[in-house]
Amino acid sequence: MNRYLVYLLRRPDVDPAVVPLHIAFLDDLREQGRIELSGGFSDKSGGAYLLRADDLAAAQAIVQRDPAHTSGGWTITVHEWQAR
């Protein structure tokens, strides 16, 4: 599996009620062994997670199910990360 850095930036109209749903989504992915790291930025502007997936299309499909994405409250980018 490859690693993908998922970068989330909060939009001004973010719904705070979505945050627990997003965290539960990440917890589920962690139980599946798909999340290596995750966390919010100290300035509360967003966060990131390190996702394991077979390819970019699979990573994007997973991210599209994230409540942070489906709510429209965050700008999200996905990058393959070749960490060493």
Side-chain angles (χ1 to χ4, degrees):
M1 276 197 207
N2 299 317
R3 292 181 177 128
Y4 297 88
L5 180 63
V6 182
Y7 185 81
L8 302 91
L9 285 178
R10 289 178 184 239
R11 293 182 179 158
D13 59 341
V14 68
D15 179 358
V18 176
V19 174
L21 301 173
H22 166 67
I23 291 170
F25 176 79
L26 294 180
D27 288 343
D28 185 51
L29 289 175
R30 187 171 287 105
E31 288 177 15
Q32 297 173 34
R34 293 207 174 263
I35 294 285
E36 289 188 31
L37 297 168
S38 65
F41 302 140
S42 61
D43 66 359
K44 309 290 186 206
S45 64
Y49 55 96
L50 187 56
L51 176 66
R52 295 181 63 84
D54 291 330
D55 55 33
L56 181 58
Q60 290 173 328
I62 292 168
V63 170
Q64 288 176 354
R65 295 192 322 261
D66 186 338
H69 170 77
T70 59
S71 71
W74 284 264
T75 299
I76 302 174
T77 57
V78 181
H79 301 277
E80 185 171 3
W81 195 24
Q82 298 175 342
R84 299 178 210 266

